[in-house]
Amino acid sequence: AKGGYDHFMRKEIEEQPTALRQAIRGRVGTDDRRTPADLESLPRDSLAGVERVHFVGMGTSYHAAMYGASVVDWGIPAQAYLSGEYADRTPEPDEGTLVVAVTQSGETADTLEAVRRANEHGARTLAVTNVVGSTATRDCDDSLFIRAGPEVGVAATKTFSAQIATLALLRERLHTDTVGAHSDDIDERLTALERLPSLVEQTIEDSPVRSIAREFDDSDAYFFIGRGTGRSVALEGALKFKEITYEHAEGFAASELKHGPLALVTTETPVFAVFTGYDDEALLTSVEEVSARGAPVVGIGADPTGALAERVDHLLELPDTHPDVAGVLANVQLQLFAYHAADRIGRPIDKPRNLAKCVTVE
Ligand code: M6R
């Protein structure tokens, strides 16, 4: 069942180009204006009444929700919430609110509870899920499938990538339905999305991450920083790393560093900086701050001019692409890093201690 791989996680990392192709297939319009095609139960103009979007999710799905909110927010007010916090502590959704439940399994109790609250307040609810017939699809008004195929490893990998691709398409549907204007940006973004599967393939093939993992075996802690969508990827990189290695890992917004986390940074704490091509200069300032404390820095990003390589200790280079999807490529590198680090210390990668694939209690 593992198709020749030692672990499902490794197999599922490698399946990402296929998962992405499936997520995109038939969903990008082929007319000369390249609008997003009808998204199953969300045909053209179906989201015209949406005034704001609340994304909810837990764990990796929460990070995809954050990613989705940062791209949607350019045109429509959008915010991501942990489903478990959504129940009673956040602004009340109303009829103009689209609540997007991001959940691989469609069975996560906290997320189903958030959907229940949204329905109660008359919001429109949409499940973005991998599982046809799951509870989320029954409880939400509409469903959008991420089509990643079954994921066995407890650590979510290919479903994160497929969630991002699906949310990128949802974003285009939302923007064309609400704002209406067509712009060249849409063309550019859709082209980048269509190229993404082959760029992921290339990233996996060329990744030098295995030898880098060896260098950091004895580190005290592992930090991950980024800005914008890069922040969601930093949080996801830390989650994946702690989940399967049991080592201390933390992700935060690079802008937070000086407000506390910098006190933890030493020569024994590698810092992984996620460059997406957006706000890179500001991120480089954070890199300088941690480098000045002697922390080894691993930069993850495209480096067409070679300038990034000069500012970091190690570079996990990415193919150049649109900033809105670059995070998916960076995340693949971080998945591989977590995988190799966990494998080196013999962890049960597919079944980390204390964790279950699906959390059906709150
Ligand atoms: O099925 P869901 O996407 O709703 O699951 C949410 C989280 O439990 C899940 O992403 C969890 O964080 C993963 N083990 C992370 O790798």
Side-chain angles (χ1 to χ4, degrees), residues 10 13-14 17 198-212 301 315-320 329 332-333 336 340:
R10 185 62 199 267
I13 288 173
E14 305 264 345
S198 56
L199 297 188
V200 167
E201 231 153 49
Q202 194 184 324
T203 304
I204 294 172
E205 261 166 41
D206 299 347
S207 180
V209 80
R210 193 174 184 162
S211 54
I212 292 180
L315 178 65
L316 296 173
E317 197 171 349
L318 305 177
D320 209 358
L329 301 176
V332 168
Q333 296 280 21
L336 287 167
H340 287 300

Side-chain angles (χ1 to χ4, degrees), residues 334-351:
L334 295 181
Q335 292 170 344
L336 287 167
F337 176 66
Y339 176 82
H340 287 300
D343 196 35
R344 291 179 58 73
I345 48 180
R347 299 296 190 217
I349 290 177
D350 286 331
K351 285 188 186 302

Side-chain angles (χ1 to χ4, degrees), residues 208-243:
V209 80
R210 193 174 184 162
S211 54
I212 292 180
R214 194 176 314 134
E215 292 219 14
F216 296 131
D217 273 349
D218 300 320
S219 302
D220 291 342
Y222 302 77
F223 300 133
F224 300 76
I225 59 173
R227 302 178 65 89
T229 54
R231 175 184 173 219
S232 345
V233 172
L235 298 189
E236 173 60 9
L239 172 63
K240 212 89 320 174
F241 195 80
K242 70 181 83 159
E243 186 176 23

Side-chain angles (χ1 to χ4, degrees), residues 28-247:
V28 175
T30 47
D31 55 358
D32 54 356
R33 279 160 57 89
R34 294 178 50 79
T35 49
D38 292 348
L39 296 174
E40 292 90 49
S41 70
L42 301 178
R44 194 170 299 229
D45 292 331
S46 57
L47 298 177
V50 173
E51 290 162 18
R52 75 194 65 76
V53 187
H54 291 175
F55 290 92
V56 296
M58 294 303 283
T60 293
S61 292
Y62 171 61
H63 300 146
M66 281 176 67
Y67 199 121
S70 11
V71 293
V72 167
D73 199 37
W74 284 107
I76 304 164
Q79 181 76 43
Y81 298 95
L82 277 167
S83 317
E85 297 285 308
Y86 191 69
D88 41 32
R89 261 164 254 126
T90 48
E92 285 185 2
D94 61 15
E95 277 128 49
T97 311
L98 176 70
V99 176
V100 181
V102 185
T103 167
Q104 186 283 130
S105 61
E107 304 296 345
T108 296
D110 284 310
T111 302
L112 295 177
E113 180 57 23
V115 167
R116 196 191 57 73
R117 179 185 188 233
N119 283 332
E120 229 172 62
H121 284 83
R124 177 143 176 210
T125 47
L126 169 67
V128 172
T129 182
N130 201 25
V131 181
V132 177
S134 57
T135 307
T137 64
R138 291 197 301 274
D139 291 357
C140 289
D141 298 319
D142 294 291
S143 304
L144 193 50
F145 295 101
I146 65 168
R147 304 175 179 165
E151 186 176 69
V152 178
V154 166
T157 52
K158 64 177 178 173
T159 54
F160 178 82
S161 292
Q163 283 168 339
I164 302 299
T166 309
L167 293 177
L169 290 161
L170 175 65
R171 173 241 193 126
E172 305 301 355
R173 164 88 302 124
L174 272 163
H175 282 203
T176 37
D177 286 3
T178 56
V179 186
H182 181 82
S183 73
D184 292 345
D185 295 5
I186 297 187
D187 263 359
E188 250 177 68
R189 290 195 297 261
L190 289 176
T191 303
L193 195 59
E194 287 179 314
R195 285 181 56 220
L196 192 58
S198 56
L199 297 188
V200 167
E201 231 153 49
Q202 194 184 324
T203 304
I204 294 172
E205 261 166 41
D206 299 347
S207 180
V209 80
R210 193 174 184 162
S211 54
I212 292 180
R214 194 176 314 134
E215 292 219 14
F216 296 131
D217 273 349
D218 300 320
S219 302
D220 291 342
Y222 302 77
F223 300 133
F224 300 76
I225 59 173
R227 302 178 65 89
T229 54
R231 175 184 173 219
S232 345
V233 172
L235 298 189
E236 173 60 9
L239 172 63
K240 212 89 320 174
F241 195 80
K242 70 181 83 159
E243 186 176 23
I244 62 171
T245 68
Y246 312 159
E247 297 292 324

